[in-house]
Amino acid sequence: MAELKTWKEIPIGGLTEAGSSTRFLTGNWRVERPILNTEKCINCLLCWVVCPDMSIVVEDGKVTGMDLDYCKGCGACAAICPVKAITMEPETKFQR
Amino acid sequence: MIAEKTLVAITGAMASAHAMRQINPDVVAAYPITPQTPIMMNFTQFAADGLVDTEVVTVESEHSAMSACVGAAAAGARVMTATAANGLALMHEIVYIAASTRLPIVMSIANRALSGPINIHCDHSDTMAERDSGWIQIFCENAQEVYESTILAMKWAEKENVLLPVMVNQDGFIISHAVENVELLPDDVVKEFVGEHIPHAPLLDVEHPVTYGPLDLYDYYFEHKRQQIEAMKEAEKVFPQIAAELSEITGNEYDFIESYKLDDAEYAIVTLGSSAGTVKYVVDEMRGEGKKVGLLKIRVFRPFPVKRIAEALDGKKAVAVLDRSASFGAEAPIYSEVKSALYTVKERPILQSYVYGLGGRDFTPEHARTAFERLIKGEFFEGEGYLGLRE
Ligand code: SF4
Ligand code: SF4
């Protein structure tokens, strides 16, 4: 962790620089991991709309996967998917 | 140079509204509540008449009013609002957020008793509940002070290194609804005095993006509170300069406290708000009878002017401190703080605590006289006394 600063060294009002949340990896919180089945996916992008962490990765209009640094495993994408192309798997399955 | 003033007969609420009109804030968000309502009623009339450029946001509650004020101030706007009593209580959460986010919002309060039982009349329980919120708190004796304090408040709030919100308190109904002579400054003089608003870190400055209101845990919250403590000290430091600047155009004096026939007094009353006027009247009467009595009026309650109060009361024989609110199970707020301020003085006066005027109960000259006469006769008692209560 970075050196902690004194009250004289930090911005007033609790302000911080914009976009600092990118340094906070909410993926650490994940208990279940979304697994995408690209064969079932019809690329309706509803999962992209509902994901609260902007973790649905889309390339050329197609979903290619999830950004696991930030995906906190809420399951919203799996719940919204009209063709059940996303399943939630226990994170323990992926640990060695 | 003292500006040419216009003498008008207006209420305290209208005095607030005129100050707001002349300050011409970018955003005003408010919700009506007695006895604050005429402040906003008059101000929104000015807005409807095109006399201000203000965006008036009519919200659905006071919690929303202060939330809208916080948002607008963070965006970079100059922001004002007004409330009273339960409205202020409903704002409470966001009142703290405004101060800790260092947003220089100016809010008029028409002081009213907090429910329950429900009551619409004056006491200071509403604003005293906010005394640790981090806001500067000014108390006014009359409509003229309301007008000038509001103008002063805007400049004080926005001062670099201060950046704190300010509450300008006027006694509900007693000041807010009573018509008095008020001298108004010319619009351009007020405009020049408050100056242009240069926001600290506006969200709308997209070239310099910032995050407002992030999570602040055990590693930095304490440091941010220390900064607020420092801001209050800074507020105390810069006040005399701003006061002097306003004096130059109004010819009136502004100080943390006002001493009325106090210098050679042996017995004093300490109070704030409209009751100070009543006490002055009694001081004059009793001086006529040869009694050495005087008044210490507190105008700025936060930052609390400890040294000034200590100096002013050092060596007095006995002092009665009047509170228009109670602290259940503890000493009343002004008494408790005045007592604490006197801890280090050389000649500590005997102190008496009186609670008066709760829920709009009249405070009469007889009450002030009773307090003075007991001091003079040495009729001291333990605990707090009550003026105007049926015992
Ligand atoms: S909601 Fe389902 S079908 Fe639609 S894009 Fe996402 S994974 Fe594909
Ligand atoms: S599980 Fe939640 S956070 Fe992760 S990709 Fe799906 S919607 Fe986004």
Side-chain angles (χ1 to χ4, degrees):
Chain A
M1 193 189 237
E3 189 78 12
L4 292 173
K5 294 179 174 156
T6 72
W7 65 272
K8 290 179 183 164
E9 296 166 335
I10 55 174
I12 61 164
L15 306 191
T16 61
E17 83 267 36
S20 59
S21 59
T22 55
R23 298 205 300 268
F24 194 63
L25 302 184
T26 47
N28 292 341
W29 304 357
R30 201 172 49 248
V31 178
E32 289 190 318
R33 181 181 292 198
I35 301 296
L36 174 71
N37 182 341
T38 45
E39 279 169 18
K40 279 195 190 170
C41 173
I42 54 170
N43 292 305
C44 68
L45 300 191
L46 276 174
C47 54
W48 180 85
V49 172
V50 299
C51 176
D53 291 287
M54 296 176 70
S55 296
I56 304 291
V57 183
V58 179
E59 283 164 36
D60 297 331
K62 292 195 168 82
V63 179
T64 57
M66 286 78 179
D67 184 344
L68 296 179
D69 279 350
Y70 301 106
C71 164
K72 61 177 179 267
C74 68
C77 51
I80 199 85
C81 180
V83 295
K84 296 192 176 4
I86 301 173
T87 47
M88 300 303 291
E89 304 278 357
E91 193 63 28
T92 46
K93 267 179 76 171
F94 305 97
Q95 316 262 321
R96 284 145 294 143
Chain B
M1 203 183 75
I2 294 176
E4 199 173 312
K5 296 182 236 177
T6 312
L7 185 65
V8 290
I10 54 174
T11 60
M14 190 52 134
S16 274
H18 272 298
M20 290 173 76
R21 174 183 62 75
Q22 293 180 318
I23 290 167
N24 193 7
D26 301 310
V27 174
V28 166
Y31 188 82
I33 183 166
T34 301
Q36 174 278 114
T37 307
I39 300 176
M40 283 312 300
M41 187 186 78
N42 289 318
F43 179 76
T44 52
Q45 183 67 58
F46 292 145
D49 292 346
L51 301 178
V52 290
D53 307 308
T54 309
E55 177 86 32
V56 176
V57 189
T58 50
V59 287
E60 76 282 12
S61 77
E62 286 85 357
H63 189 278
S64 306
M66 188 45 71
S67 299
C69 288
V70 162
R78 177 176 271 162
V79 181
M80 302 182 81
T81 185
T83 193
N86 295 43
L88 182 56
L90 185 54
M91 277 183 185
H92 182 70
E93 177 189 12
I94 316 299
V95 164
Y96 273 66
I97 291 171
S100 57
T101 313
R102 307 293 293 277
L103 301 170
I105 299 161
V106 171
M107 171 158 64
S108 296
I109 315 276
N111 298 117
R112 160 184 156 182
L114 281 176
S115 302
I118 192 163
N119 179 298
I120 58 166
H121 290 281
C122 175
D123 73 30
H124 297 152
S125 51
D126 54 1
T127 192
M128 285 301 168
E130 305 299 333
R131 65 189 188 273
D132 291 334
S133 65
W135 285 57
I136 290 170
Q137 289 174 303
I138 305 176
F139 282 83
C140 304
E141 181 187 328
N142 50 43
Q144 185 71 45
E145 280 192 10
V146 167
Y147 171 68
E148 289 167 8
S149 300
T150 307
I151 294 165
L152 188 148
M154 198 75 245
K155 196 176 176 96
W156 196 8
E158 291 176 358
K159 197 85 186 166
E160 209 192 339
N161 300 337
V162 176
L163 295 174
L164 290 174
V166 185
M167 285 178 202
V168 181
N169 293 282
Q170 58 180 303
D171 285 350
F173 288 107
I174 302 166
I175 300 176
S176 66
H177 287 59
V179 174
E180 295 177 51
N181 287 344
V182 177
E183 291 181 326
L184 299 181
L185 294 163
D187 293 356
D188 56 332
V189 169
V190 175
K191 191 176 170 185
E192 206 193 310
F193 174 78
V194 294
E196 197 195 333
H197 174 53
I198 300 161
H200 163 63
L203 277 173
L204 290 181
D205 180 0
V206 290
E207 301 295 319
H208 303 94
V210 288
T211 299
Y212 268 82
L215 190 66
D216 192 24
L217 300 179
Y218 40 73
D219 50 355
Y220 276 111
Y221 181 89
F222 201 169
E223 276 68 26
H224 286 122
K225 292 295 130 182
R226 178 64 184 82
Q227 289 179 331
Q228 279 180 258
I229 292 165
E230 193 66 15
M232 270 293 177
K233 289 185 187 173
E234 194 64 32
E236 192 167 357
K237 215 183 287 171
V238 302
F239 177 78
Q241 182 207 327
I242 298 168
E245 279 175 48
L246 188 57
S247 288
E248 254 172 53
I249 42 179
T250 63
N252 296 331
E253 291 288 315
Y254 312 93
D255 200 347
F256 294 101
I257 56 170
E258 180 189 333
S259 296
Y260 187 76
K261 302 190 178 175
L262 188 66
D263 288 352
D264 69 333
E266 292 174 349
Y267 306 95
I269 281 181
V270 177
T271 193
L272 46 70
S274 63
S275 61
T278 312
V279 176
K280 282 176 184 172
Y281 172 79
V282 174
V283 166
D284 287 346
E285 265 186 0
M286 293 181 74
R287 282 279 175 170
E289 299 157 18
K291 311 249 169 62
K292 290 198 147 183
V293 293
L295 163 73
L296 173 65
K297 178 176 90 179
I298 298 173
R299 287 184 76 159
V300 177
F301 186 69
R302 285 289 182 275
F304 193 67
V306 173
K307 279 200 193 117
R308 301 297 310 283
I309 289 170
E311 281 161 17
L313 298 179
D314 191 1
K316 302 294 170 215
K317 283 188 177 156
V319 175
V321 183
L322 312 189
D323 274 272
R324 204 164 196 145
S325 63
S327 181
F328 307 101
E331 290 167 341
I334 307 168
Y335 174 73
S336 158
E337 301 205 8
V338 168
K339 183 174 165 187
S340 157
L342 293 175
Y343 187 74
T344 52
V345 302
K346 279 194 208 80
E347 293 175 68
R348 234 182 273 158
I350 293 167
L351 283 183
Q352 293 280 271
S353 172
Y354 285 102
V355 170
Y356 73 99
L358 300 191
R361 179 69 49 86
D362 272 343
F363 178 72
T364 66
E366 286 68 43
H367 296 146
R369 181 175 274 274
T370 300
F372 272 133
E373 279 174 353
R374 284 185 192 155
L375 296 181
I376 294 167
K377 285 187 207 145
E379 285 176 18
F380 303 121
F381 51 87
E382 288 273 311
E384 92 198 349
Y386 304 94
L387 297 167
L389 176 79
R390 292 181 302 278
E391 299 277 3

